Amino acid sequence: MFQDLHQSVLLEPAVNALDINPSGHYLDGTFGRGGHSRLLLEALGESGRLSVIDCDPEALAFAEALAQEDNRVTVLAGDFETVLADLKAQGQQFDGVLFDFGVSSPQIDDASRGFSFQKDGPLDMRMNNQAGDSAADWLNHADVDEMKRVFWRYGEEKNAGRIARAIVDRREESPLVNTADLVEVVKTVNKPHPKEKKHPATRVFQAVRIHVNNELGQIEAVLPSALEVLKPGGRMVVISFHSLEDRIVKRYMRDMSKAESVDRRMPVLPDRLRPALLKIISKPVKAQDVDDNVRARSAIMRVAEKL
Ligand SMILES: C[S@@+](CC[C@H](N)C(=O)[O-])C[C@H]1O[C@@H](n2cnc3c(N)ncnc32)[C@H](O)[C@@H]1O
């Protein structure tokens, strides 16, 4: 079952960065096809444990199969924000936490998931395709301003407004159903150009996917919870797929690595100031410097240790 369907990004650098204690308990917050998890298990001894999270039913089937083979593995189904909040409430503590944000290759490659502008399939794009609104649900109901904001903010699409209006015009004739429908509308504005290497719908597809899965909101919420469930001395290793994610991770690690300072203009000074909670370990590692995986070119890894 474990054929190499997903080429894990920064596989060894990420697992090495966890600085594994063989009898420790680790958390892989984004199981995918378990590339990082399996390497992590190799470094763990018999008494070590690994909990893994994913919200994608297919990824969870792979995780369950691994748990059947290896009793050190526990599978936690759900989005990582909710699962981490539960773990925090239970007072669980981990020796290290790993996140490898973004979509997996099997999700992109499977046309029926609707992530790809290169393969026609239902316009879905949900990581958990059993809950919430699909891309088609959203695109067929959102107003122009909302779509424009999403395309611009999450895709940096300069024709965001024109594309949003073209979608509204199109759906007055018939709703968007397939990925090819969205590609066709985007192409009426972003005309394909021989000199342009990127597909004209790249930015819109990225933006819709980020919106439909609330990807940035999930990351903002999960980092503080991950810090809480980490034991002192434990490492947080985070791989971001693109710069919007990395900006959140970078800012969070930087803020937590500094003690809170007093703003003397405040009328009431706080009783207690938060000390620095994280120590940044090494410089960020870029996948392009260590990896041949084409899809991983923009990935970047940051590592911090809980003080
Ligand atoms: C890039 S892949 C991880 C690949 C994995 N490290 C490997 O080596 O196979 C990201 C995974 O995280 C999952 N994921 C993304 N956002 C999630 C979220 N908010 N909650 C839970 N899982 C999420 C996706 O379903 C996907 O399987």
Side-chain angles (χ1 to χ4, degrees), residues 39-251:
L39 191 62
L40 210 156
L41 284 166
E42 282 177 22
L44 285 180
E46 267 180 39
S47 62
R49 282 187 299 148
L50 173 66
S51 295
V52 304
I53 304 173
D54 212 294
C55 61
D56 179 320
E58 282 174 30
L60 286 166
F62 279 84
E64 290 293 353
L66 181 62
Q68 292 283 318
E69 271 175 25
D70 192 325
N71 61 13
R72 297 172 299 172
V73 178
T74 304
V75 181
L76 305 167
D79 65 77
F80 47 61
E81 178 189 350
T82 310
V83 175
L84 259 290
D86 290 346
L87 292 170
K88 202 168 77 175
Q90 292 158 15
Q92 286 268 11
Q93 290 279 283
F94 295 91
D95 294 271
V97 177
L98 169 73
F99 290 104
D100 174 14
F101 295 133
V103 267
S104 65
S105 318
Q107 286 168 327
I108 295 175
D109 291 343
D110 180 351
S112 75
R113 302 299 302 268
F115 285 102
S116 174
F117 44 76
Q118 274 157 338
K119 294 177 181 172
D120 192 21
L123 190 49
D124 191 326
M125 299 198 207
R126 288 169 298 171
M127 305 250 183
N128 176 2
N129 54 2
Q130 295 176 347
D133 284 349
S134 68
D137 294 333
W138 180 68
L139 287 163
N140 285 317
H141 292 99
D143 64 31
V144 168
D145 284 346
E146 186 184 3
M147 284 193 279
K148 183 177 160 185
R149 208 170 40 244
V150 167
F151 299 159
W152 172 246
R153 197 177 286 172
Y154 301 151
E156 290 171 355
E157 170 56 66
K158 56 182 186 310
N159 293 322
R162 287 172 59 206
I163 293 171
R165 282 189 292 279
I167 288 172
V168 171
D169 289 346
R170 152 69 212 244
R171 76 191 189 199
E172 274 166 13
E173 288 162 28
S174 63
L176 290 103
V177 177
N178 286 328
T179 49
D181 299 336
L182 180 57
V183 171
E184 191 187 287
V185 188
V186 175
K187 278 186 176 170
T188 62
V189 178
N190 287 348
K191 304 259 190 280
H193 193 282
K195 280 200 181 143
E196 177 62 63
K197 279 198 209 129
K198 265 195 182 168
H199 188 285
T202 307
R203 289 180 293 272
V204 167
F205 268 67
Q206 171 181 303
V208 175
R209 197 200 75 223
I210 291 176
H211 176 73
V212 163
N213 295 290
N214 183 25
E215 290 180 24
L216 304 184
Q218 284 270 320
I219 296 174
E220 300 253 14
V222 86
L223 295 175
S225 300
L227 178 61
E228 280 201 43
V229 300
L230 202 54
K231 289 182 190 167
R235 297 258 177 104
M236 188 191 280
V237 176
V238 184
I239 302 168
S240 298
F241 191 60
H242 55 70
S243 58
L244 294 171
E245 295 169 346
D246 183 53
R247 209 174 295 160
I248 299 172
V249 179
K250 178 180 170 183
R251 193 180 342 114

